[in-house]
Amino acid sequence: MLSSNLRQLHRLGRGAINMFSTDAKQFPEAKRRFIPSQGTYPHGFFAGGSHCGIKKNGKADLALLVSDRPTTTSAVFTTNQFCAAPVQYDRSVINGARDAREQRVRAVVINSGCANAVTGQQGLADAQEMGEAGAAFVRMFDKERGVEHEGGEALVMSTGVIGQRLPLSKITDGVTAMQVDETHEAWMRAAVAHMTTDTFPKLLSRQVDIAGQPIHLAGITKGAGMIHPNMATLLGTVCTDASVPQSLLDKALAHAVARSFNAISIDGDMSTNDTIAVIANGASGVVIGEGAAYEQFTTALTEFMADLASLVVRDGEGATKFLTIEVTGARTFADAKQVASTIATSSLVKTAFYGQDANWGRILCAVGYAGVALDTNKVNMAIYPGDNSDPLVLVKGGKPLLPVDEARASEILKQEDMRVRVELGLGSEEARMYTCDLSHDYVSINADYRS
């Protein structure tokens, strides 16, 4: 931990910096319940956010996360073939550290307002320079702590309009002037600086026990559109003060992302920039090894990342409903997820929920064309309301229960949260997808995105 004098140095920063408010009252009232007023953060991590001048409207557009020591880092990236320069740069940094069996990553620099995607070799050079600015910050950070020659590398993440160059001088000056801190306010500033079409900042933190010893997790993510599986799904960073070997962190992230950030869908589009990174600095002194500790850590990470990913769905562009699609009784996890994904990405299903229409036929149709072999006589389906009252059973043994109780359907579909449960009756595996409805506002938001 830093002394009070060193903390003050970081709060003062290294130059002029544009400040902004993190007051929850500036965000939509309906979303404020998802914005934390306090948090419990992993030891040894510092955060900050600012407006460096990328966004013309003066809103926050630059964030920085820093560890006070070397970290083990793992990441999952977009599978879009037009992957952006930051994705290519980060892959090289993480793979280089993995191949050398070294802990190299110390920071993450994130900008919003410009994606640095489809920018060719110049974009790669810009991503590298952005990373070098982060590394230079780390060297100054270490010098202020009295740690000589520690240093390290920085990952970079960019989000915003595709096809435009980064205003590099604004970013590098902004990184140099950045104020970082361990406080909740500092983490909030970083979360706000991630936002593009998001309507609220997405920050989560918690303490969990591993074999009776506490570790901490903190995560920031952003996204409201271009959200679909088979990638990392958006931008996000999870920090933990657990010590996790590279092989175990890679394995835990693969498990967790399949059940969280690769289990959400808003509009079926795949971004060029999607990146989810997990950074472990070991500051808690708790070491995650094979066996029970690894299983507990993986479970905790999966649950944490699922909760963090759910915030993205709740902020889906124009969304009015939060839908959990639960498929049980499948032969394999892959089968269950395929069926759940097909339901979650159906525009007809999503518009039915927006219209508060209990159109069971659209859901059953999606189950049928999901590409998974079924015994249709075993399929059951019900909708569970968010208030935990009685569900509305719509299909049993492959047959609809008619007539539908329209009054009960109306009561359930007026709620913001609901769960669609489909039982296949073929095995013991299950999977969930998280999605939202599809509204008129989604079209409006994306029709004038660049303006």
Side-chain angles (χ1 to χ4, degrees):
M1 304 296 286
L2 293 185
S3 69
S4 59
N5 288 338
L6 284 175
R7 288 196 191 96
Q8 184 64 24
L9 277 172
H10 287 289
R11 288 195 180 109
L12 290 173
R14 297 165 183 79
I17 192 166
N18 291 310
M19 306 298 287
F20 58 91
S21 173
T22 61
D23 190 342
K25 292 180 180 178
Q26 68 186 295
F27 304 111
E29 185 175 359
K31 305 296 185 181
R32 291 175 195 167
R33 62 193 175 102
F34 305 120
I35 303 173
S37 59
Q38 58 185 357
T40 175
Y41 296 100
H43 300 304
F45 283 99
F46 295 73
S50 71
H51 168 68
C52 72
I54 301 172
K55 293 179 181 175
K56 297 177 182 178
N57 60 10
K59 292 186 177 180
D61 51 22
L62 186 66
L64 182 62
L65 301 175
V66 182
S67 171
D68 68 0
R69 66 200 71 198
T71 72
T72 302
T73 300
S74 184
V76 180
F77 301 101
T78 182
T79 58
N80 191 309
Q81 294 183 67
F82 280 102
C83 62
V87 170
Q88 298 175 59
Y89 176 78
D90 288 351
R91 274 202 190 110
S92 69
V93 170
I94 292 175
N95 288 339
R98 184 184 288 115
D99 292 344
R101 298 185 178 181
E102 294 178 352
Q103 294 180 310
R104 294 180 177 176
V105 175
R106 291 284 306 280
V108 187
V109 182
I110 307 100
N111 79 270
S112 57
C114 179
N116 191 17
V118 198
T119 47
Q121 289 300 312
Q122 185 60 59
L124 286 171
D126 290 347
Q128 181 173 346
E129 189 169 342
M130 187 170 163
E132 289 172 353
F137 183 97
V138 168
R139 290 193 294 273
M140 180 61 71
F141 179 87
D142 287 342
K143 184 177 180 180
E144 291 179 358
R145 295 186 303 132
V147 177
E148 296 295 335
H149 310 300
E150 185 73 54
E153 296 186 81
L155 301 182
V156 300
M157 300 182 188
S158 298
T159 179
V161 177
I162 293 171
Q164 297 182 359
R165 276 199 65 189
L166 292 172
L168 264 180
S169 62
K170 294 179 179 179
I171 291 174
T172 56
D173 288 349
V175 171
T176 301
M178 184 68 72
Q179 303 173 17
V180 296
D181 204 310
E182 298 170 292
T183 63
H184 173 70
E185 170 67 15
W187 282 88
M188 276 295 299
R189 291 175 63 79
V192 171
H194 279 66
M195 296 170 61
T196 53
T197 59
D198 308 64
T199 66
F200 68 94
K202 300 168 182 68
L203 170 64
L204 195 64
S205 66
R206 70 178 52 146
Q207 176 180 304
V208 296
D209 285 346
I210 304 296
Q213 297 179 291
I215 67 166
H216 303 86
L217 297 161
I220 296 175
T221 188
K222 67 83 51 193
M226 296 188 80
I227 307 300
H228 189 64
N230 298 323
M231 52 178 162
T233 315
L234 38 94
L235 297 188
T237 305
V238 175
C239 300
T240 179
D241 53 14
S243 175
V244 192
Q246 186 72 60
S247 61
L248 295 185
L249 190 63
D250 290 344
K251 188 165 68 167
L253 176 59
H255 179 93
V257 81
R259 292 157 178 80
S260 58
F261 285 98
N262 271 351
I264 63 176
S265 182
I266 290 175
D267 52 16
D269 269 337
M270 180 184 295
S271 170
T272 55
N273 291 59
D274 305 326
T275 303
I276 294 292
V278 176
I279 303 176
N281 73 359
S284 69
V286 178
V287 179
I288 306 300
E290 295 276 8
Y294 167 76
E295 295 299 330
Q296 291 176 24
F297 175 77
T298 301
T299 297
L301 181 65
T302 301
E303 292 174 352
F304 181 83
M305 290 178 62
D307 290 344
L308 191 61
S310 294
L311 295 177
V312 176
V313 177
R314 291 190 180 279
D315 200 21
E317 291 169 345
T320 68
K321 308 290 183 188
F322 177 82
L323 310 172
T324 300
I325 311 298
E326 182 179 75
V327 176
T328 67
R331 296 182 185 90
T332 65
F333 171 75
D335 282 355
K337 190 171 181 182
Q338 179 63 29
V339 174
S341 177
T342 304
I343 298 169
T345 55
S346 167
S347 295
L348 291 177
V349 171
K350 290 157 73 73
T351 51
F353 278 102
Y354 174 66
Q356 300 182 16
D357 178 10
N359 195 326
W360 58 268
R362 293 184 179 182
I363 302 172
L364 206 62
C365 179
V367 174
Y369 69 70
V372 172
L374 303 172
D375 181 341
T376 57
N377 293 319
K378 293 183 177 180
V379 174
N380 301 324
M381 183 176 66
I383 300 177
Y384 289 73
D387 64 5
N388 295 319
S389 58
D390 291 339
L392 177 65
V393 180
L394 295 167
V395 176
K396 194 167 183 64
K399 297 179 180 179
L401 299 184
L402 300 174
V404 172
D405 186 343
E406 296 292 351
R408 179 58 180 151
S410 178
E411 291 174 354
I412 293 175
L413 295 172
K414 284 179 181 177
Q415 298 185 30
E416 180 180 347
D417 290 21
M418 60 199 79
R419 174 167 53 99
V420 176
R421 180 181 174 92
V422 177
E423 300 170 354
L424 301 182
L426 302 172
S428 60
E429 293 296 322
E430 62 182 53
R432 290 177 180 84
M433 285 285 294
Y434 306 95
T435 190
C436 58
D437 57 349
L438 189 59
S439 70
H440 300 95
D441 283 347
Y442 176 83
V443 177
S444 299
I445 291 167
N446 284 281
D448 61 0
Y449 178 70
R450 290 202 304 160
S451 59

